[in-house]
Amino acid sequence: MLSQQHIDTVKATIPLLASAGTAITEHFYNRMFTHNPELKNVFNMTHQKTGRQPAALFNAIAAYATYIDNLEALTSAVMRIAHKHTSFNIQPEQYDIVGHHLIETLRELAPDAFTKEVEEAWTAAYVQLAEIFIKVEGDLYKEHAAQTGGWEGFRRFRVASKTPESELVTSFVLEPVDGQAVIDFQPGQYLGVKLHPKGAEFDEIRQYSLSTMANGKSYRISVKREGTGDTAGVMSNYLHNHIEVGDEIDVMPPAGDFHFQDKGTPVVLISGGVGLTPMQAMLDTLAKQNYSQPVSYLHACAHEGLHSFKDHVNGLKGALDLSVYTWYERAHELADSEFEGYMQLDDIKANLPLSNGEFYLCGPVGFMMFMKQQLLTLGVEADRIHYELFGPHQEV
C-alpha cells in the first residue's frame, strides 16, 4: 500500500533521477538482459541500440514520480503504453522481473542515496504502477478475446498476398490459418507481428499499422524496408526479402490509442514517408462511410518513387469530398496540388479547416514536430492535433 510517506520519498528522489538521466535506464536494460536474456524475445533490440527505448523508459519513470499523487494526469500515457504492451503479449509475471531489476539498478547506481526508506518507497510505488498496468492490460486482453473474431495471445496467420506499393514499401495481406473471422479495429491502430528470422537467436516482435479498413476476414500491413547494410532493419528486411505468399507468422490482436475519432467535423490527415500507412485505413473507412465532411490528405516524401498509394488515394475522390496535396523533396515535374521542398502549410492554409478540423499526424519525429508547430502557429488548438509515433513514445 502506497502511503503519503512513500509518495513524499519518491518525489524527493526526482532531482536524483534528473541528474542521472538515461544512465539509469541504460543500466537497467543491460542488467535485465544479462540476467534474463529470454526477454530479448520480447523487446525490440534495435531500439536499445539507438537509445530510444532507454530514453522513453526514463521519461516514463520521471513522469510517474512527478505525478505519483495525481495519477489521473497519466491516464492517456498509461493507455498508450498498455496498448503497446498488449501487442507484445506482456504478462503479469514479467512485471516482477522488471521490478526486481529496477530496484537493483537504483541500489547499484546510487548506493549512498538508496536507503531502506527509499527502497521501501520505490518498491511500493512500482507495485502500484505494475498493478495498474496489469489491470488495464488484462481488461484489454479480455476485451479483444470477447469480440467477434477476437483471440488472446499470438494467433497464426498466413500471408495471402505480397504487393509492392513503392520502391521501399510492400503490403502484406494476412489471413488466419484457422479460417475463422478476425476482430475489427479502429482505423489508425496497429498489429503486433512476431517472427523468428532464420539464423536469429531470438524472436522479433514489431508493430505495423493496419493500412486498410477492417473487413472481418483479413488484415493488411504495409512495411517500409528500413536501412541498408549494418543499419538495415532486422524485421522489415526479413519481411521484404524472405517472407512470401503462403508463409506463416504470429499476430496479436489490433492495438493502439491513435485512431480516427468521428466528431462530425472536417478531417486533415498529414503524413511523412511511411507514416501514411494508418492514414490509408482512415481514408478507406471514411470512404466506405461516405463521410459527409471535407477530408484533406497531405503527404510528404523524398520523391515520387517513394510515394505509396498515390493512385489509390486519388481514386477515393469519388467517394469523399477529398483534397490531396503532396510535397516532394526532389521533383522532376509537378502536377496540380504538388509542391517541391518540405511541407509548408502556408502553401494551402486557405484550404484547411483551421478553426474546426481534427488533424492527424504520422511520420518521423522531426517531421511531426515541424508540422505540429506549424499548426499551432496557424491557430489550431493542441487538443485537435493527434499523432502516432512508430517506436517508443516521446512528446512531439
Side-chain angles (χ1 to χ4, degrees):
M1 182 71 178
L2 197 64
S3 68
Q4 187 60 48
Q5 183 177 351
H6 290 149
I7 292 172
D8 293 340
T9 301
V10 168
K11 280 183 164 290
T13 63
I14 291 177
L16 176 63
L17 293 176
S19 65
T22 57
I24 292 175
T25 47
E26 290 169 359
H27 184 93
F28 159 78
Y29 279 119
N30 287 333
R31 189 183 206 286
M32 184 172 69
F33 291 137
T34 298
H35 290 83
N36 294 92
E38 73 277 6
L39 292 182
K40 291 182 179 181
N41 287 303
V42 177
F43 286 82
N44 183 334
M45 300 310 295
T46 298
H47 290 155
Q48 299 296 323
K49 295 176 183 177
T50 63
R52 292 185 65 188
Q53 188 61 51
L57 179 60
F58 171 77
N59 290 334
I61 292 173
Y64 178 54
T66 301
Y67 294 104
I68 193 169
D69 53 352
N70 180 26
L71 294 181
E72 289 186 3
L74 300 177
T75 299
S76 61
V78 168
M79 290 305 301
R80 181 174 57 247
I81 295 170
H83 272 278
K84 182 61 70 69
H85 283 180
T86 62
S87 72
F88 284 100
N89 197 29
I90 297 297
Q91 296 298 310
E93 58 269 19
Q94 291 168 323
Y95 280 95
D96 292 337
I97 297 173
V98 169
H100 168 72
H101 292 296
L102 178 61
I103 296 302
E104 292 305 311
T105 292
L106 295 174
R107 188 197 316 280
E108 291 166 3
L109 290 188
D112 295 335
F114 199 67
T115 63
K116 182 179 180 180
E117 179 184 20
V118 172
E119 179 177 355
E120 288 179 353
W122 268 101
T123 299
Y126 177 80
V127 168
Q128 173 183 264
L129 184 63
E131 289 176 347
I132 291 171
F133 276 112
I134 290 170
K135 172 65 166 61
V136 173
E137 290 159 16
D139 289 344
L140 286 172
Y141 287 133
K142 291 176 184 176
E143 178 184 332
H144 293 156
Q147 293 182 43
T148 301
W151 72 94
E152 191 166 352
F154 284 100
R155 183 177 176 185
R156 202 73 172 162
F157 278 69
R158 182 177 293 112
V159 177
S161 69
K162 180 181 180 181
T163 307
E165 306 290 358
S166 65
E167 291 178 10
L168 290 179
V169 174
T170 294
S171 290
F172 299 81
V173 172
L174 310 176
E175 296 178 346
V177 170
D178 61 22
Q180 301 300 306
V182 298
I183 188 174
D184 280 346
F185 58 90
Q186 297 289 338
Q189 291 189 303
Y190 51 78
L191 288 182
V193 174
K194 182 172 74 170
L195 283 169
H196 193 103
K198 186 176 180 180
E201 185 177 0
F202 300 100
D203 293 338
E204 298 285 349
I205 302 175
R206 298 292 187 273
Q207 291 72 33
Y208 295 111
S209 295
L210 291 145
S211 61
T212 190
M213 63 186 178
N215 61 29
K217 299 178 181 179
S218 64
Y219 296 126
R220 187 182 75 180
I221 58 174
S222 301
V223 180
K224 177 188 175 186
R225 182 196 299 273
E226 296 287 354
T228 58
D230 292 340
T231 64
V234 174
M235 187 74 145
S236 67
N237 279 273
Y238 189 78
L239 283 164
H240 276 255
N241 297 338
H242 300 288
I243 295 300
E244 302 295 344
V245 172
D247 289 341
E248 296 181 5
I249 62 177
D250 291 319
V251 176
M252 289 295 292
D257 67 335
F258 171 79
H259 54 79
F260 174 69
Q261 304 169 46
D262 190 349
K263 299 185 178 180
T265 58
V267 175
V268 182
L269 308 178
I270 303 176
S271 58
V274 75
L276 52 60
T277 51
M279 306 310 184
Q280 304 311 304
M282 294 186 192
L283 275 178
D284 288 353
T285 302
L286 292 171
K288 182 181 179 182
Q289 296 173 353
N290 297 118
Y291 194 69
S292 62
Q293 295 294 314
V295 178
S296 300
Y297 179 83
L298 287 59
H299 181 62
C301 59
H303 55 80
E304 191 171 8
L306 299 182
H307 191 166
S308 305
F309 304 109
K310 181 177 181 179
D311 292 340
H312 175 72
V313 170
N314 285 322
L316 296 176
K317 291 180 178 178
L320 290 168
D321 179 4
L322 176 64
S323 300
V324 178
Y325 305 94
T326 307
W327 284 258
Y328 296 122
E329 291 180 30
R330 305 183 304 279
H332 296 296
E333 186 176 346
L334 293 172
D336 291 342
S337 300
E338 293 182 349
F339 307 87
E340 187 167 24
Y342 293 129
M343 186 182 290
Q344 299 288 345
L345 298 186
D346 272 341
D347 294 337
I348 59 168
K349 65 181 180 181
N351 302 328
L352 296 176
L354 299 174
S355 63
N356 65 338
E358 295 292 320
F359 294 77
Y360 296 83
L361 312 180
C362 191
V365 174
F367 169 82
M368 290 197 293
M369 293 176 69
F370 183 50
M371 299 318 303
K372 182 177 180 181
Q373 187 54 56
Q374 289 190 53
L375 290 171
L376 293 173
T377 300
L378 290 171
V380 178
E381 294 87 355
D383 63 359
R384 291 193 286 121
I385 304 173
H386 318 279
Y387 65 93
E388 171 77 321
L389 283 177
F390 295 154
H393 186 79
Q394 68 184 75
E395 292 302 321
V396 168

